[in-house]
Amino acid sequence: MTARIPKALTIAGLDSGGGAGITADLKTFHVMGVYGMVALTAVTAQNTMGVRAVQEVDPSIVETQIDTVAEDIGVDAAKTGMLSSSSIMDAVAHAVKKWGFPLIVDPVMYAKSGDPLMRPEAMETLKRVIIPLAKVVTPNAPEAEHLSGVKIRNLDDAREAARRIAEELHPEIVIVKGGHIGGPESVDLVYFRDTGEFRELRAPRINTRNTHGTGCSFSAAITAGLAKGMDAWDAIRQAKELITMAIQYSLPLGHGHGPVNPMSWIEVKAYTYDALNDLGMVLSSIAGKVHELADPQDNGGIAVALPQPYMASPSGIITVTWKGIEMGLPINSIRHSNSGKLVRYGLGAFTKQLGLRALAVVSGLSNVTAKARVKLSTYEYEGIGDETTQISNALENATKALGKVPEAIHVKSLNDLVILGKSVASVVDKVNLLLG
């Protein structure tokens, strides 16, 4: 018996810049383990700064695309994105009614740049023809204002808008997204029409301008969850987790609003596994010697960073202390944390454009530092500030003075020896050299 493969369809436009539309949807489907299919509604000439041109696909071709994949491969769930005209909406509605799959509607009206993606006369068709077919509709605050007639300034306004959309346009679930509503958190308001229940999904507001494709990826994640057979609420909660991560690790591409990064959903896990595997392979070579490196406060150890863009945040740095290595702790006990001296050093060293991905810290041991001066190119630095500031400044000064990245830096004010490398193996090789 063959395994069931969940299948999701995106009915949307093409963003030539790759950040939104069907490209974002397919990325999201695939990272969530769902086979993705496409019914293309329009081609846009678009980048991070704006939309330069739009070419609509003939409505009959849009409908035929849906019919063709549905009759052969099957559709477990579908979503709509850019539906620019009434005739395209009518064609999509006819196909959705014919095949009966659950539909997620992302009521795309404008690009992130503010350029319109829907003809003004199509707004009423969206309300009358498309949204009543939706299991879930996912407007942001400006879109919810258009659909409900309610000016949204806060969560109470968002509740009223969601209620009106549900009662007047009849989707099963309305999500008024919180990205455009102020406050320290991004709060998505979820309204269930049948029960009249409101639920909130909260996440810290992330300070970035790289939010292109947020709505596409969020609605695609809900679609993928439904295609896999998840309950609607569970699919929505999971989609919130994915889009929060995608924004946190968004990509600084172009000169405008860079794209979110749905690939982070699997890449963080994959890179973490690789880093732990690398650590496990090399730590055995020094496990019997690290008692020579451990200080009483257990300040020292090894840090290894995930690749960009993931290394730039504290959670992208994995650490293990000398005592942990000496005790032979299992590899899955290595810390993936947001604090500590090793993480602070990593934040200063790994964000420089120097290719550094690993470091070791030997704290307060003058005899080891003396050996480093002889066996490694070691830069002496005396400054002020915490570990992040000191190692960052030291690297800048050292590369100017030496014309290269040193193998080690002695942070004199903290009496820490920081051994640097492009891989954890290269750092451990240097540690072994010092241990003789």
Side-chain angles (χ1 to χ4, degrees), residues 24 27-32 206 210 217 238-251 259-273 306-311 313 315 336:
K27 290 174 187 174
T28 305
F29 290 165
H30 293 163
V31 300
M32 297 190 71
I206 298 165
N210 301 319
S217 296
Q238 181 175 258
K240 179 68 169 180
E241 294 172 7
L242 179 141
I243 199 58
T244 301
M245 181 177 284
I247 297 171
Q248 179 182 358
Y249 298 119
S250 59
L251 303 173
V260 297
N261 182 17
M263 296 299 293
S264 64
W265 187 251
I266 57 171
E267 286 182 340
V268 168
K269 299 179 180 72
Y271 287 136
T272 299
Y273 174 84
L306 307 186
Q308 292 284 14
Y310 309 116
M311 73 163 64
S313 69
S315 60
H336 192 48

Short mmCIF file of all heavy atoms in Angstrom, two decimals, residues 24 27-32 206 210 217 238-251 259-273 306-311 313 315 336:
data_model
loop_
_atom_site.label_atom_id
_atom_site.label_comp_id
_atom_site.label_asym_id
_atom_site.label_seq_id
_atom_site.Cartn_x
_atom_site.Cartn_y
_atom_site.Cartn_z
N ALA A 24 6.42 31.77 -3.23
CA ALA A 24 6.36 31.66 -1.77
C ALA A 24 5.46 30.51 -1.35
O ALA A 24 5.76 29.77 -0.40
CB ALA A 24 5.85 32.98 -1.18
N LYS A 27 7.27 27.09 -1.91
CA LYS A 27 8.29 26.89 -0.88
C LYS A 27 7.64 26.43 0.42
O LYS A 27 8.13 25.50 1.08
CB LYS A 27 9.06 28.20 -0.64
CG LYS A 27 9.97 28.65 -1.75
CD LYS A 27 10.54 30.03 -1.42
CE LYS A 27 11.33 30.61 -2.58
NZ LYS A 27 11.77 32.00 -2.31
N THR A 28 6.56 27.10 0.78
CA THR A 28 5.89 26.77 2.04
C THR A 28 5.28 25.38 2.01
O THR A 28 5.40 24.60 2.96
CB THR A 28 4.83 27.83 2.35
OG1 THR A 28 5.43 29.13 2.34
CG2 THR A 28 4.20 27.59 3.71
N PHE A 29 4.60 25.06 0.91
CA PHE A 29 4.04 23.70 0.78
C PHE A 29 5.13 22.65 0.97
O PHE A 29 4.97 21.68 1.72
CB PHE A 29 3.43 23.51 -0.61
CG PHE A 29 2.16 24.27 -0.87
CD1 PHE A 29 1.68 24.43 -2.17
CD2 PHE A 29 1.41 24.83 0.16
CE1 PHE A 29 0.51 25.12 -2.43
CE2 PHE A 29 0.24 25.53 -0.09
CZ PHE A 29 -0.21 25.68 -1.39
N HIS A 30 6.23 22.84 0.29
CA HIS A 30 7.26 21.80 0.27
C HIS A 30 7.95 21.65 1.62
O HIS A 30 8.24 20.52 2.04
CB HIS A 30 8.27 22.10 -0.84
CG HIS A 30 7.68 21.97 -2.22
ND1 HIS A 30 8.27 22.49 -3.34
CD2 HIS A 30 6.53 21.39 -2.65
CE1 HIS A 30 7.52 22.24 -4.41
NE2 HIS A 30 6.46 21.58 -4.00
N VAL A 31 8.24 22.77 2.32
CA VAL A 31 8.90 22.63 3.62
C VAL A 31 7.98 21.99 4.64
O VAL A 31 8.44 21.43 5.64
CB VAL A 31 9.43 23.97 4.16
CG1 VAL A 31 10.44 24.59 3.21
CG2 VAL A 31 8.31 24.95 4.50
N MET A 32 6.67 22.03 4.39
CA MET A 32 5.72 21.40 5.31
C MET A 32 5.34 19.99 4.87
O MET A 32 4.42 19.39 5.42
CB MET A 32 4.48 22.28 5.44
CG MET A 32 4.78 23.64 6.05
SD MET A 32 3.31 24.57 6.48
CE MET A 32 2.71 23.62 7.89
N ILE A 206 8.73 41.58 15.19
CA ILE A 206 10.13 41.51 14.75
C ILE A 206 10.46 42.76 13.95
O ILE A 206 9.75 43.11 13.01
CB ILE A 206 10.37 40.24 13.93
CG1 ILE A 206 10.10 38.99 14.79
CG2 ILE A 206 11.79 40.20 13.38
CD1 ILE A 206 9.95 37.72 14.01
N ASN A 210 11.91 43.40 5.97
CA ASN A 210 11.88 42.30 5.01
C ASN A 210 10.68 41.40 5.29
O ASN A 210 10.81 40.34 5.89
CB ASN A 210 13.19 41.51 5.07
CG ASN A 210 14.38 42.39 4.77
OD1 ASN A 210 14.34 43.23 3.87
ND2 ASN A 210 15.46 42.23 5.54
N SER A 217 2.83 33.26 2.46
CA SER A 217 3.40 32.11 3.18
C SER A 217 2.49 31.68 4.32
O SER A 217 2.34 30.48 4.59
CB SER A 217 4.79 32.47 3.72
OG SER A 217 5.68 32.72 2.66
N GLN A 238 0.00 26.34 13.70
CA GLN A 238 1.27 25.96 13.10
C GLN A 238 1.72 27.00 12.07
O GLN A 238 2.91 27.32 11.97
CB GLN A 238 1.16 24.59 12.45
CG GLN A 238 2.46 24.10 11.81
CD GLN A 238 2.35 22.69 11.29
OE1 GLN A 238 2.82 21.74 11.89
NE2 GLN A 238 1.71 22.54 10.15
N ALA A 239 0.77 27.51 11.31
CA ALA A 239 1.11 28.54 10.32
C ALA A 239 1.66 29.79 10.99
O ALA A 239 2.58 30.44 10.46
CB ALA A 239 -0.13 28.88 9.49
N LYS A 240 1.14 30.15 12.14
CA LYS A 240 1.66 31.30 12.88
C LYS A 240 3.10 31.06 13.31
O LYS A 240 3.95 31.97 13.24
CB LYS A 240 0.78 31.57 14.11
CG LYS A 240 1.24 32.73 14.97
CD LYS A 240 1.07 34.07 14.29
CE LYS A 240 1.29 35.22 15.27
NZ LYS A 240 1.12 36.55 14.63
N GLU A 241 3.40 29.85 13.75
CA GLU A 241 4.78 29.52 14.13
C GLU A 241 5.70 29.62 12.93
O GLU A 241 6.82 30.16 13.01
CB GLU A 241 4.83 28.11 14.73
CG GLU A 241 4.10 27.96 16.05
CD GLU A 241 4.03 26.51 16.50
OE1 GLU A 241 4.67 25.65 15.85
OE2 GLU A 241 3.33 26.22 17.50
N LEU A 242 5.26 29.09 11.79
CA LEU A 242 6.10 29.12 10.60
C LEU A 242 6.36 30.55 10.14
O LEU A 242 7.50 30.91 9.84
CB LEU A 242 5.45 28.32 9.46
CG LEU A 242 6.24 28.31 8.15
CD1 LEU A 242 6.19 26.95 7.49
CD2 LEU A 242 5.74 29.37 7.17
N ILE A 243 5.31 31.38 10.09
CA ILE A 243 5.52 32.72 9.55
C ILE A 243 6.33 33.57 10.50
O ILE A 243 7.11 34.45 10.08
CB ILE A 243 4.17 33.39 9.19
CG1 ILE A 243 4.41 34.55 8.23
CG2 ILE A 243 3.42 33.85 10.42
CD1 ILE A 243 5.11 34.19 6.94
N THR A 244 6.22 33.33 11.80
CA THR A 244 7.06 34.06 12.76
C THR A 244 8.53 33.73 12.52
O THR A 244 9.39 34.63 12.51
CB THR A 244 6.65 33.71 14.20
OG1 THR A 244 5.27 34.06 14.40
CG2 THR A 244 7.51 34.47 15.21
N MET A 245 8.83 32.46 12.32
CA MET A 245 10.20 32.06 12.02
C MET A 245 10.65 32.62 10.67
O MET A 245 11.79 33.07 10.52
CB MET A 245 10.31 30.53 12.03
CG MET A 245 11.71 30.00 11.75
SD MET A 245 11.81 28.19 11.85
CE MET A 245 11.79 27.96 13.62
N ALA A 246 9.75 32.60 9.69
CA ALA A 246 10.10 33.11 8.35
C ALA A 246 10.42 34.60 8.37
O ALA A 246 11.26 35.07 7.61
CB ALA A 246 8.96 32.82 7.39
N ILE A 247 9.74 35.36 9.25
CA ILE A 247 10.03 36.78 9.38
C ILE A 247 11.32 36.98 10.18
O ILE A 247 12.16 37.83 9.84
CB ILE A 247 8.86 37.52 10.05
CG1 ILE A 247 7.61 37.43 9.17
CG2 ILE A 247 9.21 38.97 10.33
CD1 ILE A 247 6.34 37.93 9.85
N GLN A 248 11.49 36.20 11.25
CA GLN A 248 12.71 36.32 12.06
C GLN A 248 13.96 36.11 11.22
O GLN A 248 14.97 36.80 11.40
CB GLN A 248 12.67 35.30 13.19
CG GLN A 248 13.90 35.32 14.09
CD GLN A 248 13.85 34.26 15.17
OE1 GLN A 248 12.88 33.51 15.30
NE2 GLN A 248 14.89 34.19 15.98
N TYR A 249 13.90 35.16 10.29
CA TYR A 249 15.05 34.84 9.45
C TYR A 249 14.83 35.31 8.00
O TYR A 249 15.25 34.66 7.06
CB TYR A 249 15.32 33.34 9.49
CG TYR A 249 15.68 32.84 10.88
CD1 TYR A 249 14.89 31.88 11.51
CD2 TYR A 249 16.77 33.33 11.55
CE1 TYR A 249 15.20 31.42 12.78
CE2 TYR A 249 17.10 32.88 12.83
CZ TYR A 249 16.30 31.93 13.43
OH TYR A 249 16.62 31.49 14.68
N SER A 250 14.16 36.45 7.86
CA SER A 250 13.90 36.99 6.53
C SER A 250 15.20 37.35 5.83
O SER A 250 16.26 37.44 6.45
CB SER A 250 12.99 38.22 6.64
OG SER A 250 13.60 39.21 7.46
N LEU A 251 15.11 37.56 4.52
CA LEU A 251 16.31 37.69 3.70
C LEU A 251 16.50 39.13 3.23
O LEU A 251 15.63 39.69 2.55
CB LEU A 251 16.19 36.76 2.49
CG LEU A 251 15.96 35.28 2.84
CD1 LEU A 251 15.69 34.47 1.58
CD2 LEU A 251 17.15 34.71 3.61
N PRO A 259 12.29 39.47 1.07
CA PRO A 259 11.31 38.41 1.29
C PRO A 259 11.45 37.73 2.64
O PRO A 259 12.55 37.65 3.22
CB PRO A 259 11.62 37.41 0.17
CG PRO A 259 13.09 37.58 -0.06
CD PRO A 259 13.37 39.05 0.15
N VAL A 260 10.33 37.21 3.14
CA VAL A 260 10.39 36.31 4.29
C VAL A 260 10.99 34.98 3.83
O VAL A 260 11.17 34.73 2.64
CB VAL A 260 9.00 36.11 4.92
CG1 VAL A 260 8.46 37.42 5.45
CG2 VAL A 260 8.02 35.48 3.93
N ASN A 261 11.29 34.13 4.78
CA ASN A 261 12.08 32.93 4.48
C ASN A 261 11.38 31.68 5.02
O ASN A 261 11.78 31.15 6.07
CB ASN A 261 13.47 33.09 5.10
CG ASN A 261 14.39 31.92 4.81
OD1 ASN A 261 14.13 31.13 3.92
ND2 ASN A 261 15.46 31.81 5.58
N PRO A 262 10.36 31.17 4.33
CA PRO A 262 9.70 29.95 4.82
C PRO A 262 10.62 28.75 4.87
O PRO A 262 10.37 27.80 5.63
CB PRO A 262 8.55 29.75 3.82
CG PRO A 262 8.94 30.49 2.60
CD PRO A 262 9.74 31.67 3.08
N MET A 263 11.72 28.74 4.09
CA MET A 263 12.65 27.63 4.12
C MET A 263 13.29 27.46 5.50
O MET A 263 13.80 26.38 5.82
CB MET A 263 13.74 27.83 3.07
CG MET A 263 13.24 27.84 1.63
SD MET A 263 12.45 26.30 1.15
CE MET A 263 13.85 25.19 1.20
N SER A 264 13.26 28.51 6.32
CA SER A 264 13.83 28.40 7.67
C SER A 264 13.14 27.32 8.50
O SER A 264 13.74 26.77 9.43
CB SER A 264 13.74 29.74 8.40
OG SER A 264 12.38 30.12 8.60
N TRP A 265 11.90 26.99 8.16
CA TRP A 265 11.14 25.97 8.89
C TRP A 265 11.89 24.64 8.93
O TRP A 265 11.85 23.92 9.94
CB TRP A 265 9.78 25.80 8.24
CG TRP A 265 8.80 24.91 8.94
CD1 TRP A 265 8.37 23.68 8.54
CD2 TRP A 265 8.10 25.19 10.16
NE1 TRP A 265 7.45 23.17 9.43
CE2 TRP A 265 7.26 24.08 10.43
CE3 TRP A 265 8.10 26.26 11.05
CZ2 TRP A 265 6.44 24.03 11.55
CZ3 TRP A 265 7.27 26.20 12.16
CH2 TRP A 265 6.46 25.11 12.40
N ILE A 266 12.59 24.30 7.84
CA ILE A 266 13.37 23.06 7.85
C ILE A 266 14.87 23.32 7.91
O ILE A 266 15.62 22.49 8.40
CB ILE A 266 13.05 22.17 6.63
CG1 ILE A 266 13.30 22.91 5.32
CG2 ILE A 266 11.64 21.63 6.70
CD1 ILE A 266 13.21 22.02 4.08
N GLU A 267 15.32 24.47 7.43
CA GLU A 267 16.76 24.71 7.40
C GLU A 267 17.35 24.83 8.79
O GLU A 267 18.46 24.35 9.04
CB GLU A 267 17.05 25.97 6.57
CG GLU A 267 16.89 25.75 5.08
CD GLU A 267 17.23 26.96 4.25
OE1 GLU A 267 17.22 28.09 4.81
OE2 GLU A 267 17.48 26.80 3.05
N VAL A 268 16.64 25.49 9.72
CA VAL A 268 17.16 25.59 11.08
C VAL A 268 17.37 24.21 11.68
O VAL A 268 18.40 23.92 12.30
CB VAL A 268 16.21 26.43 11.96
CG1 VAL A 268 16.59 26.30 13.44
CG2 VAL A 268 16.25 27.90 11.55
N LYS A 269 16.40 23.32 11.48
CA LYS A 269 16.52 21.96 12.00
C LYS A 269 17.69 21.22 11.34
O LYS A 269 18.46 20.53 12.01
CB LYS A 269 15.22 21.19 11.79
CG LYS A 269 14.00 21.78 12.48
CD LYS A 269 12.75 20.97 12.17
CE LYS A 269 11.51 21.53 12.84
NZ LYS A 269 11.06 22.78 12.21
N ALA A 270 17.81 21.37 10.03
CA ALA A 270 18.86 20.66 9.31
C ALA A 270 20.25 21.16 9.71
O ALA A 270 21.17 20.38 9.94
CB ALA A 270 18.66 20.81 7.80
N TYR A 271 20.42 22.48 9.78
CA TYR A 271 21.72 23.04 10.12
C TYR A 271 22.09 22.74 11.58
O TYR A 271 23.26 22.55 11.91
CB TYR A 271 21.74 24.54 9.87
CG TYR A 271 21.77 24.92 8.42
CD1 TYR A 271 20.95 25.94 7.92
CD2 TYR A 271 22.61 24.27 7.52
CE1 TYR A 271 20.98 26.29 6.58
CE2 TYR A 271 22.64 24.62 6.18
CZ TYR A 271 21.82 25.63 5.71
OH TYR A 271 21.85 25.98 4.39
N THR A 272 21.07 22.71 12.45
CA THR A 272 21.34 22.35 13.85
C THR A 272 21.83 20.92 13.94
O THR A 272 22.79 20.61 14.65
CB THR A 272 20.07 22.54 14.70
OG1 THR A 272 19.66 23.91 14.65
CG2 THR A 272 20.32 22.13 16.15
N TYR A 273 21.18 20.03 13.21
CA TYR A 273 21.61 18.63 13.19
C TYR A 273 23.05 18.52 12.69
O TYR A 273 23.87 17.80 13.27
CB TYR A 273 20.68 17.81 12.30
CG TYR A 273 21.14 16.38 12.11
CD1 TYR A 273 20.82 15.41 13.05
CD2 TYR A 273 21.90 16.01 11.00
CE1 TYR A 273 21.25 14.09 12.89
CE2 TYR A 273 22.34 14.71 10.83
CZ TYR A 273 22.01 13.76 11.77
OH TYR A 273 22.45 12.47 11.62
N LEU A 306 25.20 28.36 13.28
CA LEU A 306 24.52 27.96 12.07
C LEU A 306 24.89 28.95 10.95
O LEU A 306 25.32 30.06 11.22
CB LEU A 306 23.01 27.96 12.29
CG LEU A 306 22.48 27.15 13.49
CD1 LEU A 306 20.96 27.13 13.46
CD2 LEU A 306 23.03 25.74 13.50
N PRO A 307 24.71 28.58 9.69
CA PRO A 307 25.04 29.51 8.60
C PRO A 307 24.12 30.73 8.60
O PRO A 307 23.08 30.75 9.25
CB PRO A 307 24.81 28.67 7.33
CG PRO A 307 24.77 27.25 7.79
CD PRO A 307 24.26 27.27 9.19
N GLN A 308 24.51 31.76 7.84
CA GLN A 308 23.63 32.91 7.65
C GLN A 308 22.37 32.47 6.92
O GLN A 308 22.44 31.57 6.09
CB GLN A 308 24.35 33.98 6.83
CG GLN A 308 25.51 34.64 7.55
CD GLN A 308 25.04 35.66 8.60
OE1 GLN A 308 23.86 35.69 8.97
NE2 GLN A 308 25.95 36.45 9.09
N PRO A 309 21.20 33.07 7.22
CA PRO A 309 21.02 34.18 8.15
C PRO A 309 20.80 33.74 9.59
O PRO A 309 20.52 34.56 10.44
CB PRO A 309 19.75 34.84 7.61
CG PRO A 309 18.94 33.69 7.09
CD PRO A 309 19.95 32.74 6.49
N TYR A 310 20.96 32.46 9.88
CA TYR A 310 20.55 31.93 11.18
C TYR A 310 21.55 32.21 12.28
O TYR A 310 21.20 32.24 13.45
CB TYR A 310 20.27 30.43 11.05
CG TYR A 310 19.33 30.14 9.92
CD1 TYR A 310 19.73 29.40 8.82
CD2 TYR A 310 18.05 30.66 9.93
CE1 TYR A 310 18.87 29.17 7.76
CE2 TYR A 310 17.17 30.44 8.87
CZ TYR A 310 17.60 29.69 7.79
OH TYR A 310 16.74 29.48 6.73
N MET A 311 22.83 32.42 11.94
CA MET A 311 23.82 32.64 12.99
C MET A 311 23.69 34.01 13.63
O MET A 311 24.25 34.25 14.69
CB MET A 311 25.23 32.46 12.43
CG MET A 311 25.68 33.60 11.53
SD MET A 311 27.47 33.64 11.28
CE MET A 311 27.75 32.10 10.44
N SER A 313 21.38 35.50 15.22
CA SER A 313 20.62 35.61 16.46
C SER A 313 21.19 34.65 17.50
O SER A 313 21.85 33.67 17.16
CB SER A 313 19.14 35.28 16.21
OG SER A 313 19.00 33.91 15.92
N SER A 315 19.84 32.33 19.20
CA SER A 315 19.38 30.95 19.05
C SER A 315 20.08 30.21 17.92
O SER A 315 19.94 29.00 17.78
CB SER A 315 17.86 30.92 18.82
OG SER A 315 17.53 31.62 17.65
N HIS A 336 21.37 24.87 23.09
CA HIS A 336 20.96 25.71 21.96
C HIS A 336 20.22 26.87 22.63
O HIS A 336 19.01 26.89 22.71
CB HIS A 336 20.04 24.90 21.06
CG HIS A 336 19.77 25.51 19.72
ND1 HIS A 336 20.75 26.01 18.91
CD2 HIS A 336 18.60 25.69 19.06
CE1 HIS A 336 20.21 26.46 17.80
NE2 HIS A 336 18.90 26.28 17.87
#
